Amino acid sequence: MSQNLILDGLNPEQKRAVEYTDGPILILAGAGTGKTRTITRRVAHLVRDLRVPASKVLAITFTNKAAREMRTRIEEWVPHTGMWVGTFHATCARMLRIDADRIGRTRDFTIFDVDDRRRLLRQLIKDQSLDPKVFRPRRFENIISNWKGRSLMPIGAKAEAALMGMEEEHAATVYELYEAELAKQDALDFDDLLLKGVQLLQLDSDSTRRWVEKFEHILVDEYQDTNDLQYKFVKLLAQGTKHVAVCGDPDQSIYRWRGADISNILDFERDFPGAEIVRLEQNYRSVGNVLLAAQTVIKNNSSRKEKDLITNREAGEKLLLSEGADEETEARQMVQQVERWLEGGIRMSEVAIFYRTNACSRSLEAALTRMQIPYQVVGGQAFFERREVKDLLAFSRLLVNPKDDMSFQRAVNVPPRGVGETTLQRLRGRATGMGISLLAAIMQPEVRDSMRGPAKKGLGKFLWILDKGREELKSAERTLQVLCDVTGYRRFAESLDGAEDVDRGENLDELIAFAAEYDHRENGGLRGFLEEISLLVDTDRWAEHVERVSLMTVHAAKGLEFDCVGVVGLEEGLFPHVRSFDDPEGLEEERRLFYVALTRARLELCLSHSRMRFRTASPGPQASSRFLDELPKEVVIGGGKSYSSRAHSTSSGSSGGFASGFFSDSTVESCLPSARGVEVDASAGFESSAESEFQEGDWVDHRVFGNGTVQRILGEGVNQRITVLFENTDEERTLMLAYAMLEKLE
């Protein structure tokens, strides 16, 4: 294959980005400018034309979906010969398994998910005789995650906590115990993958030298979304090479809330002196009106690198602005627009509706259901968080890592086999005294003999189940099928009470089918399968080609594109979010988020807001988003009064940082439906989702009361209430779930 063929179809800027190898290069790739094609062709050029060994090339992406797409495209040009292509977390996990002994782990270490981490923290909090309702596991989780994100280990955390308060001091103590427990269970959490990866390069000279020498060419996609640890990882790994290529778009930096630092891409030339800058400005995705709208809006930001996207496509339809009297009307109008798109020949899989917070999906779901339009929600309960899936995976994880006490405690009495909490407490005491894992403890005859009646029999049955599972470790599909059969789990799952009963068997089938697909694609067996799914995010399970309309947050839409896009909830305080009102950097990020929403559309955009919305237990007037005013008037049609024409402002004189008139004191007081005896009539037009997205223990945000932890969910349907313990006031408040506008936090 010739170089000319590799370069075929590329524009001059793309060719420059592919061919430049004289030093570091920053590829500023605007939305829809063919960055993935450019990066994959660059890799092909390196390997096919310049004869760089594929094993010397490292390509890092931000999502597993992007990694799979990049790997597939690269393999069209270069057969798989050892090239590393994956996310930051997957790359670090791979390195850490190779050098596991250097970080105090074995190669079979478990990667704890959010639920594992939270359950362990809850257990440790109780062990410290602390009340989990006061010292909340979710809060401790966030504090510890922040410390790890700043490379602060327990000893440093204790020193910092001593200057802060009682909560932080207790969190630091729990952090130390948590780290010790992770080491004992041969486990790492998600934060550890990056932290330990950086430490591996910082602290171990032999490993540092080996990894630095391994990669001659490093490519990083979505560089604008890198956080401090990811930045350090790239800098450390690039010590031995000048061939660092990063690709990104400062205008699409939308993850500041989880630590992303836009300065990493803005200061690339400082970090890598002499870097070449290539701007990809030819947009191949969107029609002219969509592109002009997005460009005009984003130019209001100051923290960016100037570029002007151009397109050879037609102007296309003007952007439609839609105003609803209330959120139900808004949803109905948006769904009517979806109908018009579908009637015009647009496929359902090419239609998406975005919103700033998940709570906005409820009225849309109701409207779509009434119109009998199939849809899928991206960002609801993740597949791998479902009870039946986690139960079966707990057995699997224990087969790979016998030290995984969290998986042991989840699996040992599922389905019930007489091993209750009293038995588990006794077992934990024996295991701690012997300095061994729970599984190792029950393998001791004297420990099993000390148990009585059903517990002794149940533990023996559990060991037999694990023995049967170990016979099939080379096949993830076969292992899961055997475990499902010998445990009798399918029958047990389908007998469970709850709204999901009818789906549990199907979920087990989907898990096994996913394992079969992995076995066909890879050769990693059960160990490899467990690692792959531990690194998945919700959007990785998005059914891209299913004929359904997609509902998702704008954050979830990053990296996707559709023919037709609707955006709802474009109101001050919602989009842009109220938290950005007193934060210039936060407001710029909200504008970037709006820019991302606009640039997902290939053909048509419908932008919607409501004059009245239930932001709490009662409705309140809404001001349309300032971002709508920033759109060029020549490319939009429809709409109501503009943001600037309304009597709402973000002046310093407004109460609590809200737009003037957005909430009155009486409105804030009305946020307590339990105190006012509010009952909502289902005939009022609201139809809630069949199942609440919230669970007890969830960490949530409320625009008035701030952050809190879900304590209880009461009632059903439209009259369902949620009780939240808010950290600012340390008070419980009960709100109508349908109208609370709570946002589940990461």
Side-chain angles (χ1 to χ4, degrees):
M1 191 173 293
S2 70
Q3 177 180 346
N4 288 336
L5 193 55
I6 289 175
L7 299 179
D8 187 47
L10 300 181
N11 65 40
E13 291 76 21
Q14 291 173 329
K15 289 180 181 178
R16 179 63 175 164
V18 167
E19 293 184 297
Y20 184 82
T21 56
D22 292 338
I25 178 173
L26 169 61
I27 305 169
L28 290 172
T33 57
K35 72 171 176 140
T36 303
R37 177 170 62 171
T38 302
I39 293 174
T40 54
R41 298 288 185 93
R42 179 178 173 88
V43 173
H45 174 63
L46 291 173
V47 178
R48 297 295 295 258
D49 298 332
L50 303 186
R51 305 298 180 185
V52 176
S55 60
K56 293 285 188 178
V57 179
L58 170 65
I60 301 177
T61 67
F62 259 80
T63 67
N64 295 285
K65 179 178 181 294
R68 287 195 299 270
E69 182 181 359
M70 187 178 294
R71 192 180 296 111
T72 299
R73 291 201 192 184
I74 289 173
E75 289 177 355
E76 292 176 0
W77 299 92
V78 183
H80 184 68
T81 53
M83 185 180 305
W84 283 40
V85 181
T87 65
F88 273 102
H89 289 90
T91 301
C92 288
R94 188 172 177 181
M95 292 171 57
L96 293 172
R97 291 207 186 275
I98 294 172
D99 277 339
D101 59 318
R102 300 178 186 272
I103 61 165
R105 301 293 191 272
T106 73
R107 294 193 174 190
D108 293 328
F109 65 77
T110 297
I111 301 174
F112 275 12
D113 62 18
V114 172
D115 182 64
D116 297 321
R117 177 166 63 181
R118 199 165 295 152
R119 286 193 297 125
L120 178 55
L121 287 172
R122 182 177 293 276
Q123 180 180 307
L124 294 173
I125 289 169
K126 289 181 177 179
D127 290 346
Q128 290 296 295
S129 300
L130 301 174
D131 185 353
K133 291 184 178 180
V134 178
F135 299 98
R136 299 177 294 281
R138 185 75 67 98
R139 175 64 176 159
F140 276 28
E141 180 185 358
N142 291 338
I143 293 173
I144 292 170
S145 182
N146 176 270
W147 280 331
K148 288 191 176 186
R150 294 188 287 123
S151 304
L152 205 61
M153 302 311 294
I155 187 168
K158 281 194 170 184
E160 180 178 283
L163 304 174
M164 301 177 73
M166 180 182 297
E167 182 182 47
E168 286 77 10
E169 289 186 49
H170 284 308
T173 300
V174 170
Y175 181 21
E176 185 175 31
L177 298 171
Y178 174 72
E179 288 297 286
E181 197 63 31
L182 286 177
K184 175 188 170 188
Q185 297 191 37
D186 193 18
L188 298 175
D189 65 23
F190 211 62
D191 293 328
D192 282 329
L193 297 177
L194 284 173
L195 177 59
K196 299 295 185 184
V198 168
Q199 290 177 344
L200 187 68
L201 298 178
Q202 284 179 325
L203 305 177
D204 193 303
S205 60
D206 291 339
S207 288
T208 301
R209 190 178 308 110
R210 178 155 49 87
W211 290 115
V212 167
E213 291 173 354
K214 176 174 177 58
F215 299 114
E216 293 180 4
H217 288 265
I218 300 171
L219 299 91
V220 185
D221 193 14
E222 304 286 1
Y223 194 68
Q224 78 280 349
D225 290 331
T226 51
N227 61 25
D228 183 59
L229 282 176
Q230 290 160 340
Y231 167 79
K232 288 178 179 177
F233 181 78
V234 174
K235 285 280 291 180
L236 289 166
L237 206 55
Q239 298 174 78
T241 181
K242 64 178 183 178
H243 302 301
V244 179
V246 304
C247 185
D249 181 7
D251 292 338
Q252 297 185 71
S253 178
I254 59 173
Y255 294 111
R256 177 172 171 247
W257 52 275
R258 69 182 189 193
D261 188 350
I262 194 174
S263 67
N264 293 342
I265 191 169
L266 296 177
D267 297 337
F268 183 80
E269 300 106 300
R270 180 200 65 191
D271 294 328
F272 296 90
E276 178 80 357
I277 311 296
V278 177
R279 289 174 168 82
L280 303 186
E281 298 177 312
Q282 181 70 49
N283 180 281
Y284 298 97
R285 176 187 299 162
S286 304
V287 295
N289 284 335
V290 169
L291 207 58
L292 178 58
Q295 284 287 98
T296 303
V297 169
I298 201 62
K299 286 183 178 181
N300 289 284
N301 273 6
S302 58
S303 297
R304 60 189 301 267
K305 286 183 177 289
E306 191 61 40
K307 63 181 182 307
D308 289 304
L309 298 185
I310 57 176
T311 182
N312 294 326
R313 301 189 66 182
E314 70 281 0
E317 298 291 332
K318 291 187 177 184
L319 281 64
L320 177 63
L321 302 189
S322 177
E323 180 180 77
D326 52 39
E327 59 204 284
E328 298 303 313
T329 305
E330 179 195 28
R332 184 171 64 252
Q333 292 174 174
M334 179 60 73
V335 172
Q336 288 170 347
Q337 180 58 45
V338 169
E339 278 196 305
R340 286 191 284 270
W341 285 332
L342 299 178
E343 290 169 356
I346 302 296
R347 296 170 56 187
M348 281 188 285
S349 59
E350 292 296 346
V351 177
I353 305 175
F354 304 154
Y355 32 79
R356 179 62 179 82
T357 65
N358 280 307
C360 293
S361 75
R362 297 188 182 103
S363 55
L364 288 168
E365 290 184 68
L368 287 163
T369 300
R370 283 195 294 267
M371 301 304 295
Q372 298 183 326
I373 298 176
Y375 67 91
Q376 59 176 332
V377 180
V378 181
Q381 185 181 20
F383 176 78
F384 292 103
E385 293 175 1
R386 297 187 180 276
R387 173 178 175 174
E388 58 274 16
V389 173
K390 289 187 72 68
D391 283 349
L392 197 57
L393 289 177
F395 285 96
S396 306
R397 288 173 26 167
L398 199 56
L399 293 176
V400 172
N401 177 12
K403 296 180 181 179
D404 186 348
D405 284 354
M406 299 308 295
S407 291
F408 178 97
Q409 292 176 86
R410 184 175 192 109
V412 70
N413 201 43
V414 177
R417 54 181 66 90
V419 185
E421 184 57 35
T422 301
T423 300
L424 275 175
Q425 288 180 357
R426 291 174 58 197
L427 189 57
R428 281 194 292 265
R430 295 292 296 271
T432 300
M434 300 169 72
I436 57 179
S437 69
L438 294 174
L439 180 57
I442 69 168
M443 295 177 71
Q444 310 297 316
E446 64 272 22
V447 174
R448 290 201 306 278
D449 290 342
S450 69
M451 303 296 171
R452 300 175 183 173
K456 182 178 180 179
K457 183 179 179 181
L459 291 172
K461 179 68 178 296
F462 186 63
L463 289 175
W464 176 82
I465 290 170
L466 295 178
D467 284 340
K468 299 297 289 185
R470 287 192 189 95
E471 298 173 2
E472 304 289 348
L473 293 181
K474 292 183 179 179
S475 167
E477 176 195 15
R478 183 60 185 155
T479 303
L480 293 174
Q481 190 62 67
V482 167
L483 289 172
C484 208
D485 292 342
V486 299
T487 59
Y489 189 85
R490 183 181 299 275
R491 185 168 59 254
F492 165 73
E494 292 177 345
S495 72
L496 292 172
D497 294 330
E500 295 181 288
D501 290 1
V502 296
D503 297 328
R504 295 191 193 275
E506 294 179 8
N507 289 335
L508 292 173
D509 290 337
E510 183 176 350
L511 177 63
I512 293 170
F514 190 48
E517 186 270 332
Y518 172 84
D519 287 336
H520 179 74
R521 174 169 43 88
E522 305 285 349
N523 191 33
L526 182 64
R527 289 175 172 83
F529 175 70
L530 291 176
E531 174 153 318
E532 175 160 306
I533 64 177
S534 71
L535 299 172
L536 290 177
V537 296
D538 196 39
T539 50
D540 293 321
R541 298 290 296 164
W542 171 57
E544 184 174 359
H545 302 295
V546 172
E547 288 305 313
R548 297 173 180 263
V549 173
S550 295
L551 306 182
M552 65 187 77
T553 65
V554 185
H555 283 100
K558 178 75 178 298
L560 307 179
E561 57 185 79
F562 303 87
D563 282 348
C564 299
V565 169
V567 186
V568 300
L570 283 163
E571 299 136 24
E572 289 292 296
L574 184 56
F575 199 175
H577 200 281
V578 67
R579 288 194 297 262
S580 70
F581 284 1
D582 298 321
D583 178 9
E585 291 184 7
L587 186 58
E588 290 212 348
E589 175 150 304
E590 290 289 303
R591 186 174 286 108
R592 292 194 293 269
L593 192 61
F594 184 58
Y595 174 83
V596 167
L598 297 179
T599 55
R600 299 311 93 195
R602 301 190 191 100
L603 302 177
E604 294 190 42
L605 268 166
C606 179
L607 308 176
S608 174
H609 68 97
S610 172
R611 294 195 303 271
M612 189 77 65
R613 186 177 298 274
F614 279 88
R615 300 293 302 230
T616 57
S618 59
Q622 309 296 303
S624 59
S625 172
R626 68 190 73 191
F627 299 151
L628 296 179
D629 262 9
E630 296 173 358
L631 296 168
K633 300 300 185 283
E634 66 269 22
V635 303
V636 301
I637 56 173
K641 292 182 179 179
S642 67
Y643 162 79
S644 59
S645 69
R646 295 173 183 259
H648 303 288
S649 70
T650 57
S651 66
S652 59
S654 62
S655 177
F658 297 112
S660 177
F662 202 87
F663 278 106
S664 66
D665 292 340
S666 61
T667 303
V668 174
E669 290 298 321
S670 74
C671 294
L672 306 174
S674 59
R676 296 169 58 245
V678 172
E679 292 290 338
V680 181
D681 189 346
S683 65
F686 181 88
E687 295 181 25
S688 64
S689 300
E691 182 182 353
S692 169
E693 66 178 289
F694 300 103
Q695 299 177 356
E696 291 183 10
D698 281 346
W699 185 241
V700 297
D701 176 71
H702 188 279
R703 72 164 288 151
V704 175
F705 303 124
N707 296 340
T709 306
V710 175
Q711 304 298 304
R712 293 175 297 282
I713 299 176
L714 310 169
E716 297 180 350
V718 75
N719 287 318
Q720 195 170 46
R721 292 184 171 88
I722 186 168
T723 299
V724 181
L725 177 65
F726 291 99
E727 67 172 348
N728 291 337
T729 60
D730 208 27
E731 294 180 3
E732 287 189 358
R733 299 184 182 271
T734 301
L735 310 173
M736 296 295 295
L737 182 57
Y739 305 112
M741 294 297 289
L742 291 169
E743 179 180 359
K744 188 187 294 186
L745 300 177
E746 298 286 332

